[in-house]
Amino acid sequence: MAKQKGIVKLEGSIGDLSFYKTSDGFLAREKVGIDKNRIKNDPAFQRTRENGSEFGRAGRAGKVLRTAFKMLLQNSSDKKVVSRLMTELIKVLQTDPVNARGERTVTLGDQSLLTGFDFNINSQLSTALFAPYSMSIERATGAVTVNLSAFVPGQTIVGPQGATDVKIVSGAAAVDFEQGISQGFVIKSEDIPLNNEEHAAIDLVHELPENSGGSLFLVLGLEFSQIVNGVRYPLKSGGYNPLTIVAIDQPEAIQEN
């Protein structure tokens, strides 16, 4: 592909060239066409069919996972989160030890590879939150918990310039990639001033269904705000808010496969 230069930017097609707009600017590329029937039936395209099948499966899994945390992602994601998450899900799918190439699934893959995934690459939890915290997932009871010990916000949370307050946010979800369904829950703390006064310990407790059959995901993040003349404003529509997958519990029956 090539970048378009000049005052006039084109979108659409002219002859064998396609012009389009992306987050990286206006681009142009030459059209390349291969007969669809040949791709579907020609043995030479077997690997292409396998890759396409798994690419689509990873894409659907990504949509299910994003839907589970939709409420939080509205304030804590970057423009390329869809493609970045798909890349990681393909890695998970490729660890499936049971199915043949082209039939591998995220369900049977090692989902722990998603631990530490940042939904907002522009603001990562590991560089914003230094307050000590612990997590627990109890599949039998459905209790998913994040515990933060007492902390001093101004010393353990690194916010963007202008931030005066922060919320600790957490999401828990039961995700069934095969059925394409998820059930997610969100908890947010009160607004916490980013000062040097010690804040009491925080417990964020989610109650998922007991003995959920799918995978259990826990995300943790921050939402920054600024108070101006007594009015609270979110910063840059959430562009500075980190949100990260911090724990995953995959069913034992799947792990044993």
Side-chain angles (χ1 to χ4, degrees), residues 131-204:
Y133 64 89
S134 60
M135 306 155 293
S136 66
I137 298 179
E138 299 179 13
R139 181 175 292 274
T141 64
V144 179
T145 307
V146 177
N147 307 105
L148 284 85
S149 303
F151 62 101
V152 178
Q155 298 176 13
T156 58
I157 297 178
V158 179
Q161 185 176 3
T164 59
D165 296 81
V166 66
K167 285 183 179 180
I168 311 295
V169 302
S170 176
V175 180
D176 187 328
F177 290 112
E178 290 301 301
Q179 298 297 321
I181 57 178
S182 61
Q183 186 174 13
F185 300 85
V186 171
I187 297 177
K188 299 184 180 184
S189 73
E190 75 280 11
D191 288 293
I192 303 170
L194 288 170
N195 55 29
N196 290 321
E197 297 181 9
E198 184 175 81
H199 192 281
I202 296 176
D203 295 323
L204 303 176

Side-chain angles (χ1 to χ4, degrees), residues 46-254:
Q46 176 64 29
R47 185 58 53 82
T48 300
R49 291 192 292 271
E50 293 171 352
N51 291 340
S53 176
E54 294 189 346
F55 187 83
R57 201 170 290 118
R60 290 189 292 274
K63 183 177 181 180
V64 174
L65 190 56
R66 295 195 314 276
T67 299
F69 300 114
K70 183 177 180 180
M71 287 183 62
L72 292 176
L73 290 177
Q74 291 175 346
N75 298 318
S76 306
S77 62
D78 61 70
K79 294 181 179 179
K80 295 186 178 181
V81 65
V82 174
S83 60
R84 291 194 304 104
L85 181 57
M86 180 177 291
T87 296
E88 298 308 311
L89 285 166
I90 289 175
K91 294 177 183 178
V92 171
L93 179 150
Q94 291 173 339
T95 64
D96 176 352
V98 177
N99 294 301
R101 187 185 181 104
E103 300 295 330
R104 294 175 294 188
T105 68
V106 171
T107 298
L108 295 181
D110 181 6
Q111 295 171 27
S112 68
L113 295 176
L114 296 174
T115 304
F117 177 81
D118 291 294
F119 288 97
N120 187 357
I121 198 64
N122 300 313
S123 181
Q124 302 176 37
L125 190 67
S126 60
T127 60
L129 178 63
F130 296 95
Y133 64 89
S134 60
M135 306 155 293
S136 66
I137 298 179
E138 299 179 13
R139 181 175 292 274
T141 64
V144 179
T145 307
V146 177
N147 307 105
L148 284 85
S149 303
F151 62 101
V152 178
Q155 298 176 13
T156 58
I157 297 178
V158 179
Q161 185 176 3
T164 59
D165 296 81
V166 66
K167 285 183 179 180
I168 311 295
V169 302
S170 176
V175 180
D176 187 328
F177 290 112
E178 290 301 301
Q179 298 297 321
I181 57 178
S182 61
Q183 186 174 13
F185 300 85
V186 171
I187 297 177
K188 299 184 180 184
S189 73
E190 75 280 11
D191 288 293
I192 303 170
L194 288 170
N195 55 29
N196 290 321
E197 297 181 9
E198 184 175 81
H199 192 281
I202 296 176
D203 295 323
L204 303 176
V205 182
H206 302 272
E207 296 182 0
L208 296 178
E210 298 179 0
N211 295 308
S212 297
S215 297
L216 306 183
F217 284 78
L218 174 63
V219 300
L220 183 63
L222 305 171
E223 290 187 357
F224 294 103
S225 60
Q226 181 184 58
I227 296 178
V228 179
N229 295 328
V231 180
R232 188 182 307 279
Y233 300 92
L235 290 182
K236 198 180 177 182
S237 300
Y240 294 109
N241 297 333
L243 184 69
T244 302
I245 298 175
V246 293
I248 302 169
D249 185 278
Q250 196 169 355
E252 292 183 4
I254 293 177

